[in-house]
Amino acid sequence: MSGQWRKLGVQAGASVAAVAAAFAIGAVLMLLIGVNPGLVYARLFEGVVLNPYGVAQIFFKSTPLIFTGLAVALGFQAGLFNIGAEGQMLVGAFCAALAGFGLSMPAFLHVPVCLAAAFLGGMIWAAIPGALKIKTGAHEVITTIMMNFIAMALTSYFVVSRFHEPETVHTAAVAVTARLPRLEAFSSFFHGSPANATFFVALLACGVVSWLLWKMPLGYELRALGLSPAAAETAGIPVDRRALLAFAISGGLAGLAGTSFVLGYKHYFEDGFSAGAGFLGIAVALLGQNSPLGVVIAAFLFGGLSHGSLVINALVPKEIIEVLQALVIILVVVANQVSKRWAR
Amino acid sequence: MADPKTPLAVQMTGIVKEFARCRANDGAGLSVAKGEVHALVGENGAGKSTLMKILYGLYTPDGGDIRVGGAPVRFAGPEDAIAAGVGMVHQHFMLVPTLTVAENVVLAREPSSLGGLVFDKARAEAEVEALSKKFGLALDPKALVGDLSVGEQQRLEILKVLYRGAEILILDEPTAVLTPQETKAFFQILSGLRAQGKTVILITHKLQEVLAISHTVTVMRLGKTVGSVATAKTSEAELAQMMVGRPVLFQVERTLKDPAVIAKSPAVLELRGVTVRSSRGHDALKDVSFTVRAGEIFGVAGVEGNGQTELIELLTGLRTPGAGTMTLVGKEVDFAAASAADMFRRGVAHVPEDRHRRGLVLDYAVSENVVLGRHREPEFASTWTIDFSSVRAFAERMIKDYDIRPADPSAHAKALSGGNQQKVVVAREMSRGPKLLVASQPTRGVDVGAIELIHKKIIAARDAGAAVVLVSAELSEILSLSDTIGVLYRGAFSGILSVQRATEETIGVLMAGGKA
């Protein structure tokens, strides 16, 4: 077990160091444009962490990021680069909306059916590049990126000219039975925040993925595939079928990312709702070191930062937050390589 | 020991090199006299390669003193070492196959005209030709490297080092890829180099070669220098004991089987007219037929690259043949449906040639590796959970039976020495009670102690009634374990004979494509 813990410590250390270094470089940049970074960071902390509304926003903003981060992380564990979480999320969200306003059934059924539709949509969207990879060897980085563009254009077309409500770019609202409640319904702490019960679905997904990866024979096989495809093949693991399955599960998880918006917040699919949560999922997975718990923590950080951009907007252009996010990603990739050399 | 009167070409003292997890060199030393062939021997992981990479400037030592030709040196990189006259030929050749011999030799130091604008190919060829004549390294400067044999490629590597003005040549396991005949030619080259006053340091684990060609032997163990002895005054047994720290059995005990008795036992594996295409598109195996029976070890000898890899991959379901049939325990294999998993179910165990890539998941613990492929058996798992406590208990049993060190089921495979890694693979494959055991280079890069244990286990599998296909580049391994020996040459058996009729010489002739 000691090796395991050591590795965990090194990984966590790399992520923490990357975040700290990103904030330090961010401070230098702020000084260069004549802004006091101390003030900005103090305001950020106060507005996001010390303020109940800010905390509630972390829950809300991190929900889709947990799903997409988890999707990318599971892919990485199996040795696959799923860069297509954005497209899978869009297709999943659209399917959830269709099932939400198109079907009618009692709530105890309707919500699971909509979630299943979202999962299925993302899964199918990921299975296409998966099948291309195992049948032809086409690299998934290229194909999943391209599938993103197709998903964006396709959902955009459907929502603008087929399924839209007049005068809007969104679909009809999902039935009341298909909606997930806001957290403010349970606690006044969340008053005024769109944070909703999808958050708990995301946590549940983390638990399930943890179990799958580290307790089930399937996860043992997927991780073996990620670490050493030749050894997995030699040991008789059907590597092609497993890779396709990993794609499908990864895509399904990404497909769930939009349900926070569709089932829990606005209750419809809207063109351009995602704000790049699929792409940010790659960053979340990297920072979270591809572990479900790490993904939750990283999603909190990125969710908090994205709410923080509004909090500090008066002091410094909010784009500084995007700079910080980008720095975190670059530095975590650097830190991972450096720490690997140390750990050897 | 180097004669105090002759000047020392290399003197390394108190060399320390630490990596994150281990001390590869721990006060190691080496004294090489000018003009001698100095063998550096030791088990895998003893620190020989690290010491030589320090001498060649690839690693910076954490402590110690290096003198070349009497003068203290500090190399920041191989360029410095080359400038000081130290050259190294690596075990894996570093050549550009699409360039000619001359172009490879002069690479990065090309003679040129017009102030460096134009490569002077004619001059390069003339220089290389003169150099190869001087040292007796017969090579056509205009030949394409891709067309050269392994022995010729090695000569080219040596030529490259000489072209850079090396006085001290470090050769890393130079005979690992050569036939017995090529090895003899290589020994000639070594004496030629010596005649020209060059100093040679030879990293090797083949003790017979050490005795045949070196003047002095330095033995390393666990990062330290155990001692240096004059070759004339030592023996294989003494060197082996210095390497391992205890006496070593060279010949594992076994009962020789009468070929007539073997012929009566049931056939486990039958290949008929099998042709296999290699990844590069040519026929790697051509119309190959042979039978292996229960309780028989079928040794496959031959220079590497004559179809061994493809044969192994065929037997283990990793490759499908273009033609021919394969029968396993009386049932013909349907290649349309064959896979590693399928062969696995039919009772084929596989100790792969490349244990790092195919045999182990290096980032998995020993316990996880020891059930790799068996992880879905009811003993270890249900659909939803792996029973880690039974996996661990099983791993502990294997660790005990195979003396795997460290005796820690949760140690990562990559933290183990080569010998212990291989024991993990062998333990796993044997534990399945195979009907057919396919073992490829089972003791390559493995220390002497582990070799002994692995050989015993292979014999035990045979005696338990398994059929064994053993592929090895070590002729001594083939001869000491096999009941029947097949020699592969260019994708076909140039001969199949019982061990009673085989000698090192007859096999050597067959390896070169001759008739026994």
Side-chain angles (χ1 to χ4, degrees):
Chain A
M1 236 19 199
S2 65
Q4 222 93 354
W5 288 115
R6 186 196 151 88
K7 194 174 149 202
L8 214 69
V10 169
Q11 288 182 336
S15 286
V16 171
V19 172
F23 275 76
I25 296 174
V28 173
L29 289 176
M30 284 184 236
L31 283 175
L32 286 176
I33 57 170
V35 176
N36 178 352
L39 227 56
V40 173
Y41 288 148
R43 173 70 71 83
L44 191 64
F45 192 71
E46 197 186 323
V48 179
V49 182
L50 299 182
N51 178 328
Y53 178 73
V55 174
Q57 282 304 97
I58 294 181
F59 279 76
F60 175 63
K61 300 260 186 181
S62 66
T63 302
L65 298 181
I66 294 175
F67 282 119
T68 54
L70 205 54
V72 178
L74 183 121
F76 274 136
Q77 290 281 4
L80 304 168
F81 294 82
N82 181 8
I83 312 298
E86 183 81 11
Q88 292 144 17
M89 173 180 70
L90 289 173
V91 173
F94 194 78
C95 291
L98 281 185
F101 67 74
L103 302 174
S104 111
M105 55 184 83
F108 75 91
L109 264 181
H110 208 169
V111 168
V113 163
C114 288
L115 291 173
F119 193 90
L120 212 65
M123 189 164 137
I124 290 167
W125 211 248
I128 297 168
L132 288 176
K133 181 185 170 81
I134 66 170
K135 289 289 173 206
T136 69
H139 202 286
E140 72 272 17
V141 168
I142 308 291
T143 51
T144 51
I145 289 176
M146 294 306 138
M147 290 297 283
N148 283 338
F149 292 121
I150 299 175
M152 286 180 222
L154 218 56
T155 52
S156 186
Y157 166 74
F158 277 124
V159 79
V160 171
S161 32
R162 293 279 153 164
F163 293 98
H164 64 292
E165 290 290 280
E167 310 290 312
T168 72
V169 287
H170 60 72
T171 63
V174 299
V176 179
T177 46
R179 294 179 189 180
L180 281 158
R182 289 194 179 195
L183 296 184
E184 63 185 353
F186 306 110
S187 160
S188 59
F189 180 86
F190 292 99
H191 181 72
S193 163
N196 59 72
T198 318
F199 177 75
F200 296 111
V201 181
L203 288 190
L204 183 70
C206 284
V208 170
V209 169
S210 290
W211 178 274
L212 188 157
L213 281 176
W214 283 283
K215 297 283 179 219
M216 277 176 67
L218 176 62
Y220 169 91
E221 295 178 353
L222 292 184
R223 287 183 298 122
L225 179 61
L227 293 167
S228 177
E233 183 196 16
T234 309
I237 294 169
V239 289
D240 282 352
R241 292 216 306 269
R242 291 295 176 269
L244 189 60
L245 191 59
F247 259 112
I249 300 172
S250 174
L253 289 166
L256 289 171
T259 56
S260 174
F261 185 92
V262 173
L263 306 181
Y265 176 33
K266 295 280 186 172
H267 305 129
Y268 48 68
F269 181 98
E270 185 174 25
D271 193 26
F273 82 91
S274 79
F279 295 116
L280 217 45
I282 301 164
V284 167
L286 283 172
L287 186 63
Q289 305 285 358
N290 301 323
S291 96
L293 180 63
V295 160
V296 173
I297 296 169
F300 271 32
L301 179 81
F302 277 85
L305 280 176
S306 98
H307 174 61
S309 67
L310 305 174
V311 174
I312 58 162
N313 204 10
L315 296 172
V316 61
K318 68 177 189 326
E319 284 74 17
I320 191 74
I321 293 292
E322 283 169 36
V323 173
L324 279 179
Q325 289 180 335
L327 282 171
V328 168
I329 300 166
I330 295 172
L331 290 165
V332 78
V333 174
V334 171
N336 279 348
Q337 291 304 321
V338 173
S339 68
K340 233 183 256 169
R341 222 167 296 153
W342 280 351
R344 205 173 285 154
Chain B
M1 263 305 174
D3 184 339
K5 272 168 270 169
T6 46
L8 288 177
V10 174
Q11 187 171 26
M12 302 176 82
T13 43
I15 301 294
V16 176
K17 177 69 188 173
E18 262 185 89
F19 294 106
R21 297 240 180 100
C22 67
R23 204 168 243 228
N25 280 172
D26 188 6
L30 178 70
S31 295
V32 182
K34 194 166 178 330
E36 72 167 344
V37 175
H38 194 114
L40 183 60
V41 301
E43 292 191 284
N44 226 47
K48 315 176 292 259
S49 292
T50 305
L51 191 65
M52 287 303 98
K53 282 177 179 169
I54 288 171
L55 180 57
Y56 187 52
L58 284 167
Y59 293 153
T60 321
D62 298 324
D65 182 56
I66 308 171
R67 283 161 193 272
V68 171
V73 290
R74 280 200 85 83
F75 296 147
E79 312 78 39
D80 293 355
I82 292 166
V86 178
M88 183 158 179
V89 174
H90 298 274
Q91 194 174 356
H92 300 284
F93 301 149
M94 299 175 183
L95 298 167
V96 187
T98 51
L99 295 183
T100 66
V101 166
E103 285 166 335
N104 267 279
V105 171
V106 302
L107 202 63
R109 321 214 152 188
E110 303 89 352
S112 58
S113 53
L114 287 178
L117 284 177
V118 178
F119 169 47
D120 189 346
K121 197 167 177 177
R123 205 167 104 213
E125 281 165 359
E127 284 179 9
V128 169
E129 179 137 39
L131 198 65
S132 72
K133 282 229 173 75
K134 183 177 169 194
F135 288 98
L137 293 157
L139 274 178
D140 174 8
K142 291 180 184 162
L144 272 183
V145 168
D147 298 334
L148 298 184
S149 73
V150 176
E152 287 170 324
Q153 289 183 31
Q154 184 172 57
R155 268 176 256 160
L156 170 54
E157 285 282 10
I158 295 172
L159 211 53
K160 259 169 72 180
V161 172
L162 292 170
Y163 185 78
R164 283 155 177 69
E167 288 301 319
I168 300 156
L169 285 87
I170 307 166
L171 305 177
D172 189 0
E173 298 278 359
T175 60
V177 290
L178 303 181
T179 63
Q181 283 77 4
E182 280 178 317
T183 303
K184 274 191 189 143
F186 169 74
F187 289 175
Q188 292 288 319
I189 293 168
L190 280 189
S191 38
L193 288 173
R194 236 192 80 218
Q196 295 284 340
K198 305 284 181 190
T199 307
V200 177
I201 304 174
L202 202 63
I203 307 177
T204 182
H205 69 276
K206 294 185 182 172
L207 296 178
Q208 288 158 355
E209 289 177 5
V210 170
L211 295 171
I213 51 171
S214 69
H215 302 101
T216 315
V217 191
T218 295
V219 181
M220 289 187 70
R221 181 168 38 148
L222 304 172
K224 292 190 171 72
T225 305
V226 181
S228 283
V229 287
T231 309
K233 290 184 188 149
T234 188
S235 67
E236 197 172 338
E238 189 195 10
L239 289 175
Q241 185 159 356
M242 283 170 81
M243 279 165 65
V244 187
R246 63 177 173 85
V248 176
L249 279 177
F250 275 97
Q251 179 73 44
V252 178
E253 274 183 55
R254 59 158 183 172
T255 48
L256 272 179
K257 287 193 177 176
D258 186 343
V261 175
I262 293 173
K264 279 190 201 124
S265 71
V268 173
L269 171 72
E270 279 185 284
L271 287 194
R272 290 289 166 260
V274 167
T275 297
V276 176
R277 201 141 261 221
S278 80
S279 320
R280 275 176 289 168
H282 65 277
D283 282 343
L285 288 179
K286 283 170 255 176
D287 194 19
V288 167
S289 303
F290 69 100
T291 304
V292 188
R293 298 176 182 280
E296 177 186 15
I297 298 181
F298 185 91
V300 178
V303 178
E304 278 179 61
N306 276 288
Q308 291 93 327
T309 306
E310 288 77 9
L311 177 63
I312 294 284
E313 290 180 353
L314 174 78
L315 298 182
T316 53
L318 294 168
R319 192 180 282 275
T320 51
T325 62
M326 173 167 152
T327 310
L328 259 179
V329 211
K331 277 194 203 126
E332 193 178 321
V333 174
D334 171 15
F335 282 104
S339 65
D342 180 47
M343 290 301 182
F344 201 96
R345 276 190 294 274
R346 289 168 185 264
V348 179
H350 181 196
V351 177
E353 180 175 342
D354 186 345
R355 66 174 163 270
H356 282 167
R357 211 171 75 80
R358 285 209 175 271
L360 295 163
V361 178
L362 289 173
D363 284 303
Y364 267 3
V366 168
S367 61
E368 292 171 298
N369 269 299
V370 90
V371 296
L372 188 64
R374 297 188 61 190
H375 57 276
R376 280 189 187 266
E377 289 178 14
E379 187 187 345
F380 302 120
S382 67
T383 309
W384 299 104
T385 49
I386 291 182
D387 180 356
F388 284 103
S389 61
S390 73
V391 168
R392 197 181 164 89
F394 174 72
E396 272 163 0
R397 214 162 70 230
M398 289 297 117
I399 284 171
K400 201 157 158 266
D401 287 359
Y402 285 79
D403 188 28
I404 294 163
R405 290 176 214 187
D408 174 11
S410 53
H412 277 166
K414 67 178 171 193
L416 270 56
S417 72
N420 283 300
Q421 288 176 341
Q422 189 70 333
K423 286 189 214 165
V424 172
V425 176
V426 173
R428 176 182 73 218
E429 298 304 316
M430 294 290 190
S431 74
R432 293 166 36 206
K435 296 193 178 79
L436 173 67
L437 171 66
V438 180
S440 183
Q441 318 292 359
T443 57
R444 167 172 293 170
V446 161
D447 55 75
V448 184
I451 290 176
E452 205 181 319
L453 183 133
I454 291 167
H455 282 177
K456 275 185 190 160
K457 295 289 181 182
I458 291 175
I459 303 253
R462 174 196 81 158
D463 292 344
V468 180
V469 174
L470 168 73
V471 174
S472 176
E474 304 282 344
L475 212 42
S476 58
E477 181 166 54
I478 294 278
L479 285 166
S480 68
L481 294 182
S482 309
D483 299 299
T484 313
I485 298 171
V487 184
L488 270 182
Y489 177 72
R490 297 201 177 158
F493 283 111
S494 53
I496 295 180
L497 62 172
S498 71
V499 70
Q500 284 88 344
R501 296 202 295 125
T503 63
E504 199 140 325
E505 286 69 38
T506 52
I507 303 286
V509 170
L510 290 168
M511 279 167 78
K515 293 253 180 323

